[in-house]
Amino acid sequence: MTLLDMIPSLQPGIPPRLSPGIWPRDARYDSEGRITLGRVAVTDIADRYGTPAYVLDEAEVRARCRAYRKAFPRARIYYAGKALLTKAVAEWVSAEGLSIDVCSTGELAVALTAGVDPQRIILHGTGKSRDELEAGVRAGVGRIVIDSLSEIALLSTQLNRPQAVLLRLTPGIDVHGHPAVRTGVLDQKFGLPLGSADAAEAVRRILEQPLLQLAGLHCHLGSQIYDPDHYGEAVRRLIAEMAWIRRDHGHLITELDVGGGHAVAYRPGDAELNVAELADILDDALDAACARHRFPRPVLAMEPGRAIVARAGVTLYRVMSVKQVEGASTFVTVDGGMNDNLRVALYGAHYEAVVANRRPHGPQRTVTVAGRYCEAGDILARDIRLPVDLHPGDLLAVPCTGAYHHSLSASYNCVGRPPVIAVRDGYARELVRRETIADLLARDIGG
């Protein structure tokens, strides 16, 4: 128990603080005890647009883009659209000098509709269809990432002009963590194992195709990586592969894409990747590896997504009930859940939640924030501290929800997906409207 719990009267004189590691940098409490984002009170957003609602701080997204541009002034930085892609987000990151990584014809269409230069788009995907490859070629995307041997022939049939490609290799680097996000190890579905016969065959086949231009190699080690040394090791292994390709095929590769996966903090004290430290390690690794193999330094590329948008997002919920189970947990049920945040059920992710509509006074207790959906695993935050006087109608805010929330959202139980609301300089605007029952019924053409 803290001093504030023992002497509640001290609370009004001590303004509450929002952890700068997990909230947008301009998140504040106002004089009425309400949380504000982009100088907009979240209670006003909830009243106007309803809950649950995703709130996205535009200034935070842009600041994160600028931080990457400053740390890597000569690199090609592709924003990983799978983290969160709307037309507005595509416009913001493009205006800040970033390119965009897309993984489907839908993501490609969003980027193009937002006015992104096709040459600044890279097309990914581990099972790209003929239609997806055709769409990328037709749009004139700058790079297509080859993920399998069969994709080489499939892509070649779509071409009537040269197309730059990257070959995705798995370097055999285990960053640990949840199995679902370890993509750099050999036993998983992405790319081809570095040094394997299939990888050598892929190089040969690409170079045999007159309209395919092998511009670079690509890897992705996983997600939530906070140790930058893993990226340095990837650089060393891939530069060695580039040197082998030049020696055996006489072909000079000029680009090296080390993917993304940069860790962010979801709760105070969580480890996150230091971007400045990453820049130093990548620079040193490139210098050393290129000197060792007498290889010209390639253009570096990377694909941050979560690190750009995660902290910019906050999700708002209304408390529906507070239920104390005798001899067990206290459950705070809200009007959202796994439909708008699948990461807890999918990865066992951990989040914080705070009361957003008032400054709480008095003692707190440990609770579990549960969702409204018909699944026992529909949990948003386990064993967090919330006020004892929490009651239905209170507004909760969950920070660091900008990445893989809207993009993974669903309509389970026929509940429409939440809106995305942007805030900036005291104004709020709707980027994506709430999905309605009419939207759901429009797709159901049976009967």
Side-chain angles (χ1 to χ4, degrees):
M1 178 174 290
T2 67
L3 180 63
L4 296 181
D5 290 335
M6 293 186 288
I7 312 176
S9 60
L10 292 178
Q11 287 272 8
I14 303 176
R17 301 178 64 186
L18 298 171
S19 172
I22 61 175
W23 290 85
R25 63 198 68 192
D26 66 356
R28 300 284 188 276
Y29 282 96
D30 67 10
S31 59
E32 299 178 40
R34 305 173 301 176
I35 291 176
T36 65
L37 302 171
R39 304 210 313 270
V40 180
V42 295
T43 52
D44 293 343
I45 296 172
D47 290 344
R48 179 178 178 185
Y49 297 104
T51 54
Y54 301 119
V55 184
L56 193 64
D57 190 318
E58 178 182 347
E60 181 72 25
V61 174
R62 289 180 178 271
R64 293 274 168 171
C65 292
R66 292 169 191 159
Y68 269 90
R69 283 259 51 100
K70 181 179 179 180
F72 302 97
R74 296 184 299 277
R76 291 178 180 167
I77 303 174
Y78 295 94
Y79 167 67
K82 58 183 175 289
L84 170 65
L85 191 62
T86 71
K87 289 184 289 185
V89 170
E91 290 170 0
W92 299 346
V93 300
S94 181
E96 296 298 337
L98 272 59
S99 300
I100 294 186
D101 149 21
V102 301
C103 295
S104 69
T105 50
E107 289 183 354
L108 174 62
V110 172
L112 293 174
T113 303
V116 178
D117 180 353
Q119 281 295 302
R120 293 174 60 190
I121 295 175
I122 184 170
L123 176 62
H124 269 285
T126 192
K128 292 186 284 294
S129 68
R130 181 183 297 274
D131 288 345
E132 285 175 320
L133 291 170
E134 182 182 7
V137 170
R138 186 171 60 249
V141 298
R143 301 288 183 270
I144 295 177
V145 178
I146 299 291
D147 195 83
S148 66
L149 287 170
S150 59
E151 204 167 80
I152 299 169
L154 190 60
L155 175 58
S156 299
T157 63
Q158 310 296 315
L159 298 175
N160 56 19
R161 62 176 182 270
Q163 174 66 57
V165 300
L166 308 182
L167 176 62
R168 180 165 181 171
L169 301 175
T170 52
I173 297 173
D174 189 350
V175 299
H176 306 293
H178 195 286
V181 297
R182 292 159 58 196
T183 58
V185 296
L186 301 183
D187 189 14
Q188 45 75 51
K189 68 177 185 176
F190 296 102
L192 300 169
L194 180 67
S196 68
D198 281 347
E201 179 65 12
V203 171
R204 185 187 66 80
R205 291 188 190 183
I206 293 171
L207 294 178
E208 283 181 350
Q209 293 293 334
L211 294 181
L212 289 182
Q213 299 177 338
L214 182 57
L217 299 184
H218 178 282
C219 73
H220 191 285
L221 305 183
S223 295
Q224 284 296 84
I225 302 170
Y226 56 83
D227 184 352
D229 286 334
H230 292 307
Y231 294 98
E233 180 59 26
V235 165
R236 288 185 283 273
R237 296 185 187 189
L238 289 170
I239 291 294
E241 185 75 0
M242 290 177 165
W244 169 80
I245 292 171
R246 182 180 64 170
R247 183 176 65 250
D248 280 28
H249 296 280
H251 179 78
L252 179 63
I253 291 177
T254 59
E255 298 175 25
L256 174 56
D257 189 329
V258 295
H262 303 168
V264 303
Y266 282 93
R267 296 180 301 178
D270 283 355
E272 62 182 343
L273 184 69
N274 184 305
V275 176
E277 186 179 355
L278 174 65
D280 290 339
I281 285 178
L282 287 176
D283 197 49
D284 290 345
L286 281 168
D287 283 347
C290 290
R292 178 180 179 183
H293 296 283
R294 297 182 179 179
F295 192 83
R297 183 171 173 137
V299 174
L300 182 69
M302 63 188 62
E303 299 163 359
R306 184 194 319 262
I308 299 292
V309 295
R311 204 173 80 174
V314 176
T315 305
L316 305 179
Y317 301 98
R318 287 286 182 195
V319 174
M320 308 305 291
S321 68
V322 180
K323 184 188 301 182
Q324 170 67 61
V325 178
E326 186 174 354
S329 301
T330 298
F331 291 95
V332 175
T333 301
V334 297
D335 57 357
M338 62 189 297
N339 277 22
D340 54 76
N341 183 356
L342 188 58
R343 295 189 68 254
V344 180
L346 190 61
Y347 302 129
H350 298 280
Y351 289 86
E352 291 290 315
V354 300
V355 179
N357 58 298
R358 61 185 174 91
R359 177 178 294 151
H361 301 290
Q364 297 183 327
R365 62 179 167 182
T366 300
V367 305
T368 292
V369 180
R372 58 166 292 181
Y373 300 103
C374 297
E375 297 288 340
D378 181 21
I379 299 296
L380 289 171
R382 295 185 185 276
D383 299 328
I384 65 169
R385 301 285 287 174
L386 285 176
V388 168
D389 66 348
L390 190 73
H391 54 74
D394 272 335
L395 188 67
L396 292 187
V398 178
C400 209
T401 57
Y404 301 104
H405 287 70
H406 170 70
S407 59
L408 284 174
S409 60
S411 55
Y412 182 48
N413 289 164
C414 288
V415 176
R417 289 169 287 188
V420 180
I421 311 300
V423 292
R424 181 179 180 180
D425 298 333
Y427 295 94
R429 64 187 178 103
E430 198 172 40
L431 302 184
V432 180
R433 66 169 174 80
R434 187 179 301 279
E435 190 173 36
T436 66
I437 292 175
D439 292 326
L440 300 175
L441 291 176
R443 298 180 62 242
D444 187 345
I445 60 175

